[in-house]
Short mmCIF file of all heavy atoms in Angstrom, two decimals:
data_model
loop_
_atom_site.label_atom_id
_atom_site.label_comp_id
_atom_site.label_asym_id
_atom_site.label_seq_id
_atom_site.Cartn_x
_atom_site.Cartn_y
_atom_site.Cartn_z
N HIS A 267 67.13 98.13 88.49
CA HIS A 267 66.46 98.93 89.51
C HIS A 267 66.03 98.03 90.65
O HIS A 267 65.32 97.04 90.43
CB HIS A 267 65.23 99.62 88.92
CG HIS A 267 65.55 100.51 87.76
ND1 HIS A 267 65.95 101.82 87.90
CD2 HIS A 267 65.59 100.24 86.41
CE1 HIS A 267 66.19 102.33 86.71
NE2 HIS A 267 65.99 101.40 85.79
N ILE A 268 66.48 98.34 91.85
CA ILE A 268 66.14 97.51 92.99
C ILE A 268 65.32 98.33 93.98
O ILE A 268 65.77 99.38 94.45
CB ILE A 268 67.41 96.97 93.71
CG1 ILE A 268 68.40 96.36 92.70
CG2 ILE A 268 67.02 96.00 94.81
CD1 ILE A 268 67.97 95.07 92.06
N VAL A 269 64.11 97.84 94.27
CA VAL A 269 63.25 98.52 95.24
C VAL A 269 63.47 97.86 96.60
O VAL A 269 63.29 96.65 96.76
CB VAL A 269 61.77 98.42 94.82
CG1 VAL A 269 60.88 99.07 95.88
CG2 VAL A 269 61.57 99.08 93.46
N MET A 270 63.89 98.66 97.58
CA MET A 270 64.21 98.17 98.92
C MET A 270 63.48 98.99 99.95
O MET A 270 63.38 100.21 99.80
CB MET A 270 65.70 98.37 99.21
CG MET A 270 66.61 97.36 98.63
SD MET A 270 68.27 97.70 99.29
CE MET A 270 69.12 96.31 98.59
N PRO A 271 63.04 98.37 101.03
CA PRO A 271 62.49 99.16 102.14
C PRO A 271 63.58 100.12 102.64
O PRO A 271 64.76 99.73 102.71
CB PRO A 271 62.18 98.11 103.22
CG PRO A 271 62.15 96.79 102.51
CD PRO A 271 63.05 96.93 101.32
N SER A 272 63.20 101.33 102.97
CA SER A 272 64.21 102.31 103.40
C SER A 272 64.85 101.91 104.73
O SER A 272 65.88 102.45 105.10
CB SER A 272 63.58 103.71 103.50
OG SER A 272 62.37 103.64 104.19
N ILE A 273 64.25 100.94 105.43
CA ILE A 273 64.85 100.50 106.70
C ILE A 273 65.87 99.36 106.50
O ILE A 273 66.36 98.79 107.47
CB ILE A 273 63.78 100.01 107.71
CG1 ILE A 273 62.93 98.90 107.07
CG2 ILE A 273 62.91 101.16 108.20
CD1 ILE A 273 62.18 98.04 108.08
N SER A 274 66.20 99.00 105.25
CA SER A 274 67.16 97.93 105.01
C SER A 274 68.50 98.26 105.66
O SER A 274 68.86 99.43 105.79
CB SER A 274 67.37 97.72 103.51
OG SER A 274 66.14 97.44 102.88
N THR A 275 69.24 97.22 106.05
CA THR A 275 70.54 97.45 106.69
C THR A 275 71.50 98.09 105.69
O THR A 275 71.51 97.74 104.51
CB THR A 275 71.17 96.14 107.20
OG1 THR A 275 71.24 95.23 106.10
CG2 THR A 275 70.34 95.52 108.30
N PRO A 276 72.31 99.03 106.17
CA PRO A 276 73.24 99.77 105.30
C PRO A 276 74.15 98.84 104.49
O PRO A 276 74.46 99.12 103.33
CB PRO A 276 74.07 100.60 106.29
CG PRO A 276 73.19 100.76 107.49
CD PRO A 276 72.38 99.51 107.57
N SER A 277 74.58 97.69 105.08
CA SER A 277 75.50 96.81 104.35
C SER A 277 74.81 96.19 103.13
O SER A 277 75.43 96.00 102.09
CB SER A 277 76.04 95.71 105.27
OG SER A 277 75.00 94.84 105.67
N LYS A 278 73.51 95.90 103.26
CA LYS A 278 72.78 95.34 102.10
C LYS A 278 72.61 96.40 101.02
O LYS A 278 72.72 96.12 99.84
CB LYS A 278 71.42 94.81 102.54
CG LYS A 278 71.54 93.63 103.49
CD LYS A 278 70.59 92.51 103.17
CE LYS A 278 71.07 91.24 103.85
NZ LYS A 278 70.10 90.18 103.92
N ILE A 279 72.31 97.61 101.44
CA ILE A 279 72.16 98.70 100.48
C ILE A 279 73.50 98.92 99.75
O ILE A 279 73.55 98.99 98.52
CB ILE A 279 71.72 100.01 101.19
CG1 ILE A 279 70.33 99.80 101.81
CG2 ILE A 279 71.72 101.19 100.22
CD1 ILE A 279 69.88 100.92 102.74
#
Side-chain angles (χ1 to χ4, degrees):
Chain A
H267 301 274
I268 311 291
V269 177
M270 279 187 176
S272 47
I273 56 161
S274 303
T275 55
S277 66
K278 295 224 162 165
I279 296 170

